[in-house]
């Protein structure tokens, strides 16, 4: 029974631990003839890797990907693609104090209770370091999408940090890559920076965030009714990311505040097909893509490893306190942006392959 694999036709299995010699992903189901290179994957890993600014963990990892199989002369062969990323800057001694203690808010306690064994070095398999493997796999998915669906663009960005939110009237796609927070509002990005500096230096604390991922240029028809919904798999993919505690599609939870008249996206006929007056549905109706932007948001909880003293217990059941040492992200949501993009890329490609296999060129014509 494998719990480390996701996807239907495009399947990804991740492996490795935070402080092991390496981690990586096995990608199976990538069509043959797709241009896949280490440099092409590396550009996405570079967005996620640690130590790039004072606002993220200062662990220094090159996160250089190695392609071990499944690629010949620069293109995929249709066989499993094995990706490996070596760990080079582990400091396991930082975790000596938690060998017998459980960090509040962390998976330490549930891993121990479930398995009876726990890799305490950086959290082992429960560490956010595991997401590097997902980003590498997402790089393969992006290469395939670029070849098969060249109009598709997948972009993630931070819309909220703690109580601070962006002003959507200042939304600027070009601003996303110009600040440390992948934030489309440059004014909010400065506010995020000031707040995080105070939390990190003065309050010895961490903070959560909300990330939004948008897939633009998707064709109509991806996804299937009931159990094969595109939004079902997107929600599952985002919820599987470390520290994610909530997912929304389109209006999400806010849809409960709306009436049927205000929530429905009215339809008219345009020169190239149906045109929608709005996108409250987040680009998905009945589990099937409408051709509009697919919009997903997910909430990332605050980092559990903080320098403030907290109450906890030991494995022997004794009450104690803990202060977590080591190098940690004060807002893990920053580096969750490329992870969300990668998971969306994997799901979109998987559903395109499913749609192509089941429906082919069939489908209802309007107009």
């Amino acid at each position: 029974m494998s719990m480390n694999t996701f996807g239907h036709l495009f399947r990804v299995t991740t492996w490795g631990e935070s402080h092991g010699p390496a981690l990586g992903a096995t990608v199976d189901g990538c069509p043959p003839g797709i241009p896949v290179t280490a440099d092409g994957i590396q550009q996405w890993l570079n967005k996620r890797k640690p130590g790039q600014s004072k606002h993220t963990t200062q662990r220094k990892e090159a996160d250089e990907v190695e392609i071990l199989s499944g690629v010949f002369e620069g293109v995929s062969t249709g066989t499993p693609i094995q990706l490996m990323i070596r760990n080079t800057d582990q400091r396991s001694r930082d975790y000596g104090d938690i060998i017998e203690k459980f960090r509040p808010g962390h998976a330490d306690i549930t891993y121990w209770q479930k398995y009876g064994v726990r890799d305490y070095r950086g959290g082992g398999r429960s560490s956010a370091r595991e997401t590097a493997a997902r980003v590498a796999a997402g790089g393969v998915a992006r290469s395939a999408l670029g070849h098969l669906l060249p109009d598709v663009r997948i972009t993630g960005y931070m819309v909220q940090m703690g109580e601070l939110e962006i002003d959507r009237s200042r939304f600027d796609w070009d601003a996303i890559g110009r600040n440390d927070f992948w934030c489309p509002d440059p004014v909010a990005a400065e506010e995020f920076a000031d707040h995080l500096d105070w939390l990190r230096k003065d309050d010895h604390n961490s903070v959560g965030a909300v990330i939004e991922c948008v897939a633009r240029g998707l064709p109509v028809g991806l996804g299937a009714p009931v159990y094969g919904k595109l939004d079902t798999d997107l929600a599952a993919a985002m919820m599987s990311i470390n520290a994610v505690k909530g997912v929304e599609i389109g209006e999400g939870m806010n849809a409960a505040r709306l009436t049927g008249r205000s929530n429905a996206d009215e339809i008219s006929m345009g020169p190239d097909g149906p045109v929608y007056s709005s996108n409250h549905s987040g680009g998905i109706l009945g589990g099937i893509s409408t051709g509009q932007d697919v919009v997903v948001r997910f909430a990332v909880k605050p980092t559990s490893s903080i320098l403030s003293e907290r109450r906890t217990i030991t494995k022997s059941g004794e009450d104690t306190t803990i202060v977590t040492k080591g190098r940690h992200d004060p807002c893990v949501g920053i580096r969750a942006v490329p992870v969300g993009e990668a998971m969306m890329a994997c799901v979109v490609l998987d559903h395109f392959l499913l749609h192509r296999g089941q429906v082919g060129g069939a489908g209802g014509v309007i107009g």
Side-chain angles (χ1 to χ4, degrees), residues 24-35:
T26 304
V27 178
D28 201 4
C30 180
I34 301 297

Side-chain angles (χ1 to χ4, degrees), residues 59-299:
R59 178 172 174 173
K60 298 291 186 181
E61 292 284 359
D63 277 358
E64 293 182 356
V65 66
E66 301 174 40
I67 301 175
L68 305 184
S69 68
V71 176
F72 180 67
E73 295 184 341
V75 298
S76 59
T77 62
T79 59
I81 299 173
Q82 183 75 356
L83 306 171
M84 183 171 70
I85 303 163
R86 299 182 189 275
N87 292 322
T88 60
D89 191 30
Q90 311 97 308
R91 285 204 328 217
S92 301
R93 64 182 181 276
D94 289 341
Y95 297 89
D97 194 42
I98 67 167
I99 296 175
E100 299 296 327
K101 298 179 181 181
F102 303 112
R103 287 170 288 181
H106 201 279
D108 294 338
I109 191 167
T110 50
Y111 266 54
W112 173 252
Q113 289 178 299
K114 179 177 178 65
Y115 297 109
V117 61
R118 174 174 68 93
D119 185 347
Y120 62 86
R121 306 165 304 165
R125 187 74 175 143
S126 65
S127 170
R129 177 119 187 90
E130 179 269 345
T131 60
R134 302 172 186 233
V135 175
V140 176
R142 284 181 186 258
S143 295
L145 288 171
H147 189 73
L148 300 169
L149 294 172
D151 292 333
V152 171
R153 297 289 181 271
I154 294 174
T155 310
Y157 42 87
M158 184 182 290
V159 297
Q160 183 176 340
M161 175 187 285
E163 297 291 335
L164 303 175
E165 300 183 49
I166 69 167
D167 182 341
R168 289 189 180 267
S169 69
R170 296 192 295 256
F171 194 105
D172 180 1
W173 289 102
D174 293 331
I176 294 171
R178 296 175 182 165
N179 58 75
D180 293 340
F181 302 93
W182 310 110
C183 180
D185 176 355
V187 176
E190 293 181 6
E191 295 172 349
F192 291 172
D194 291 341
H195 183 54
L196 201 57
D197 280 343
W198 174 78
L199 277 169
R200 181 172 53 88
K201 295 177 181 178
D202 301 326
D203 201 37
H204 303 304
N205 212 342
S206 62
V207 68
V210 176
I211 308 304
E212 187 167 278
C213 288
V214 178
R216 294 171 285 173
L218 260 62
V220 178
L222 303 191
V226 192
Y227 301 115
K229 294 180 178 179
L230 177 60
D231 40 0
T232 296
D233 284 347
L234 283 170
M238 300 307 175
M239 276 300 299
S240 75
I241 299 171
N242 312 58
V244 170
K245 300 301 288 184
V247 180
E248 296 183 329
I249 311 290
E251 285 289 344
M253 298 299 288
N254 188 57
R257 300 175 180 272
L258 304 179
T259 64
R261 191 160 53 236
S262 58
N263 182 66
D265 302 313
E266 293 185 292
I267 310 168
S268 59
M269 195 62 189
D272 300 316
V275 175
Y276 296 85
S277 63
S278 53
N279 193 18
H280 298 292
S281 71
I284 302 172
L285 290 171
I288 301 169
S289 63
T290 65
Q292 294 176 277
D293 292 353
V294 171
V295 183
V296 182
R297 280 179 303 282
F298 59 91

Side-chain angles (χ1 to χ4, degrees), residues 96-104 108-109 118 308-324:
D97 194 42
I98 67 167
I99 296 175
E100 299 296 327
K101 298 179 181 181
F102 303 112
R103 287 170 288 181
D108 294 338
I109 191 167
R118 174 174 68 93
S308 298
E309 186 176 80
R310 308 298 294 162
R311 289 180 297 162
T312 188
I313 60 172
T314 65
K315 285 196 292 187
S316 58
E318 299 170 333
D319 290 324
T320 187
T321 60
I322 188 170
V323 173
T324 308

